[in-house]
Amino acid sequence: MASNPPKLKIEITSNERLKTLKEKFEARFGESPLFYTCAPGRVNLIGEHIDYCGYSVLPMAIEQNILAAVSVNSLGTIQLTNTNPQYQDFKVPCSEEIVIDREDPKWHYYFLCGVKGIQEKFGIARLAGMSCVVDGTIPPSSGLSSSSALVCCSGLLTMEANHKSLSKVALAEICAKSERYIGTEGGGMDQSISFLAEKGTAKLIEFQPLRATDVKLPEGAVFVISNCCVEMNKAASSHYNIRVVECRIATKMLAQARGLDPRGLLKLSQVQTELKASLEEMLVLVDEVFHPESYSREEICKVLDITLEQLCTELLSANTQHVMQFKLHQRAKHVYGEAARVIRFKSVCDAGSAETITMLGELMNQSHASCRDLYECSCPELDQLVDICLKAGAVGSRLTGAGWGGCAVSMVPSEKAESFLQAVRDAYYSPDPRRAAMEKQSLFVTKPGSGASVLLEE
Ligand code: GLA
């Protein structure tokens, strides 16, 4: 488990994508790359919006990734180019402090998050100059974790260029922490699976301490990703952080209600641990403690016996200062329920019976309903797409990733895969020219892929 990311020798000429990337690098920088790094995106099968509450999640890496060609330069600058012309070149001298602008989540800031994470970890006063060409195949703003893959790819290449060494677990933790410089208070699932994934298996990711356990998915079913084509950039809106904050406030209020000291408790899982309660007992407690109506700031302050200023500085994040109403009952209910579904999903996979596929499908459907109704992180297009997927033959279908747009993941019996794809194409993509144009990269079967690695030319 404490192993480092693999270093793989690769014949560039036999890989079209690497060959093109190498040529682009040579044309741009007039030299050959020294090495390459890649980090995959992910699809979360179950366990949505619970990683930042301390609960385990169950993702797998997808084949789509961020790939970078790198050389160490003597100019003392970090210079970046993206193969997608939509993303502009960027350059910064290594002598300057790395600054990440939260107000303006441009692509290169995600790259810089990875750089900054490694720099801080090792206290590197002067980073090695790096020239990089970045190439991504993960559709952006689609809930498949393109931004975290970029952070992980950049963390890994910065480590390599500066002759440092770290385990996959340490890299995952550093990248999860450093991505928060962009302003979203992510929970660590995306960076963990990007480093810890292994081909052929999904993973149960547990936190504190971070570890990944294989989850053998049932034979006889495939997982299909479909993008609803509504873009969601979680750094550009406050939806995500509002949920993080609601969970934090719910934690304090539950603790308070049960006579625990709320100071020091920030995650819903910590309340469960302190109370030595089961998830089922936590669900009952949520119903007892919270009313279903939204909570005002005043009510929260009164219950917690804190001032408005304390609420704003200690509990709200920079981009949630404007929020006036908080739904605590619904959010806590989702979190404890979803945490229980992850455990059940894993044990159903482990038990492997004739009913496995049906039972997993049911859990995925419950998860979507909870995300839609209690956590309110879906959107009408995503709900419509999930309905279409179920009608097209999926046994389970749900939104994946942060939500409010992006992708659904469906579990489909293998023998129905072809007819499923056709039915979803006909019902969701073909009728709309914009969606039809995006279909190729929006609807595909996926298999558990490998984690991040360093690639060296043979
Ligand atoms: C984003 C975050 C993750 C996780 C998911 C929702 O992908 O980066 O940490 O919270 O949303 O499950």
Side-chain angles (χ1 to χ4, degrees):
M1 193 89 255
S3 60
N4 292 4
K7 286 193 183 178
L8 310 170
K9 288 255 169 45
I10 187 137
E11 209 186 303
I12 304 284
T13 46
S14 64
N15 180 315
E16 262 320 301
R17 186 168 165 221
L18 275 169
K19 214 172 101 193
T20 314
L21 182 61
K22 183 179 177 189
E23 284 161 11
K24 287 200 173 136
F25 189 97
E26 288 166 345
R28 170 75 177 82
F29 295 117
E31 58 172 344
S32 292
L34 191 59
F35 65 91
Y36 303 79
T37 54
C38 65
R42 59 99 191 94
V43 55
N44 190 22
L45 300 179
I46 198 154
E48 222 60 83
H49 286 278
I50 59 171
D51 57 350
Y52 51 80
C53 297
Y55 285 111
S56 307
V57 292
L58 211 153
M60 66 190 195
I62 55 174
E63 193 194 312
Q64 290 83 341
N65 64 13
I66 303 283
L67 173 67
V70 190
S71 76
V72 173
N73 66 46
S74 52
L75 308 166
T77 55
I78 295 174
Q79 35 189 7
L80 309 177
T81 294
N82 198 304
T83 55
N84 182 340
Q86 190 188 325
Y87 302 117
Q88 283 166 12
D89 284 5
F90 176 78
K91 197 162 151 181
V92 64
C94 296
S95 53
E96 270 181 28
E97 193 199 334
I98 292 177
V99 184
I100 290 151
D101 183 0
R102 290 174 174 220
E103 302 300 315
D104 182 18
K106 289 211 178 83
W107 82 279
H108 64 259
Y109 287 125
Y110 290 94
F111 190 101
L112 292 180
C113 284
V115 176
K116 199 173 168 75
I118 297 297
Q119 177 172 40
E120 286 178 344
K121 163 74 189 172
F122 292 102
I124 304 173
R126 182 76 183 245
L127 288 160
M130 301 188 291
S131 307
C132 307
V133 179
V134 176
D135 181 62
T137 50
I138 312 165
S141 304
S142 64
L144 300 177
S145 199
S146 59
S147 39
S148 299
L150 178 54
V151 176
C152 294
C153 186
S154 130
L156 182 56
L157 69 85
T158 307
M159 176 191 94
E160 202 57 26
N162 288 277
H163 303 289
K164 302 291 181 197
S165 165
L166 284 168
S167 70
K168 297 182 211 178
V169 166
L171 276 161
E173 285 175 337
I174 291 166
C175 291
K177 188 165 154 238
S178 67
E179 192 173 328
R180 296 195 191 115
Y181 285 124
I182 217 89
T184 36
E185 311 217 1
M189 158 168 69
D190 309 343
Q191 302 82 0
S192 305
I193 191 67
S194 196
F195 282 109
L196 298 170
E198 281 173 298
K199 208 179 169 83
T201 177
K203 295 275 184 182
L204 177 78
I205 305 277
E206 295 167 274
F207 301 96
Q208 283 172 336
L210 176 59
R211 56 190 169 152
T213 315
D214 289 2
V215 178
K216 196 174 158 359
L217 297 173
E219 283 167 16
V222 293
F223 288 90
V224 181
I225 292 176
S226 51
N227 192 343
C228 79
C229 303
V230 173
E231 287 205 2
M232 153 52 179
N233 178 336
K234 63 182 185 305
S237 73
S238 53
H239 297 306
Y240 186 89
N241 278 1
I242 292 175
R243 295 297 176 273
V244 175
V245 161
E246 284 172 323
C247 289
R248 200 178 285 160
I249 296 171
T251 300
K252 304 266 177 201
M253 306 252 292
L254 276 177
Q256 177 92 352
R258 277 297 166 272
L260 301 171
D261 182 356
R263 286 169 303 181
L265 299 182
L266 285 170
K267 296 180 182 176
L268 285 167
S269 62
Q270 294 171 323
V271 186
Q272 187 197 356
T273 309
E274 289 295 315
L275 293 177
K276 298 188 179 56
S278 67
L279 286 166
E280 289 65 32
E281 286 165 337
M282 292 311 294
L283 284 165
V284 174
L285 185 60
V286 168
D287 285 336
E288 278 169 24
V289 172
F290 294 120
H291 54 69
E293 296 78 26
S294 300
Y295 284 75
S296 66
R297 295 170 167 226
E298 292 67 30
E299 186 174 2
I300 294 167
C301 289
K302 195 163 161 228
V303 174
L304 292 178
D305 193 21
I306 56 172
T307 62
L308 197 54
E309 201 198 328
Q310 281 175 305
L311 175 75
C312 292
T313 54
E314 292 167 23
L315 296 177
L316 302 188
S317 65
N319 68 347
T320 56
Q321 294 291 324
H322 63 286
V323 183
M324 292 295 163
Q325 299 286 326
F326 302 83
K327 291 197 182 175
L328 306 181
H329 179 263
Q330 295 83 340
R331 309 312 185 218
K333 198 106 192 175
H334 165 79
V335 170
Y336 291 124
E338 185 77 354
R341 280 187 287 275
V342 172
I343 298 170
R344 258 182 269 141
F345 195 97
K346 163 93 167 45
S347 48
V348 170
C349 286
D350 289 348
S353 76
E355 298 302 306
T356 302
I357 294 179
T358 321
M359 285 156 81
L360 297 182
E362 183 50 33
L363 290 169
M364 290 173 74
N365 293 337
Q366 288 170 6
S367 168
H368 184 74
S370 181
C371 284
R372 182 192 58 211
D373 303 334
L374 296 175
Y375 221 67
E376 296 177 284
C377 62
S378 189
C379 68
E381 294 82 354
L382 207 38
D383 291 337
Q384 187 203 355
L385 179 57
V386 163
D387 282 346
I388 288 175
C389 290
L390 290 172
K391 289 201 184 91
V395 279
S397 187
R398 56 180 296 279
L399 68 83
T400 185
W404 295 286
C407 290
V409 58
S410 304
M411 190 169 65
V412 183
S414 308
E415 70 278 5
K416 288 195 189 160
E418 275 313 310
S419 61
F420 171 85
L421 290 170
Q422 192 56 48
V424 176
R425 216 172 271 142
D426 291 347
Y428 195 77
Y429 294 94
S430 306
D432 176 322
R434 196 181 71 89
R435 289 180 192 161
M438 292 168 74
E439 190 218 293
K440 205 166 165 288
Q441 70 274 25
S442 299
L443 178 68
F444 53 91
V445 175
T446 187
K447 291 204 177 71
S450 352
S453 59
V454 178
L455 308 174
L456 301 164
E457 186 161 6
E458 233 177 20

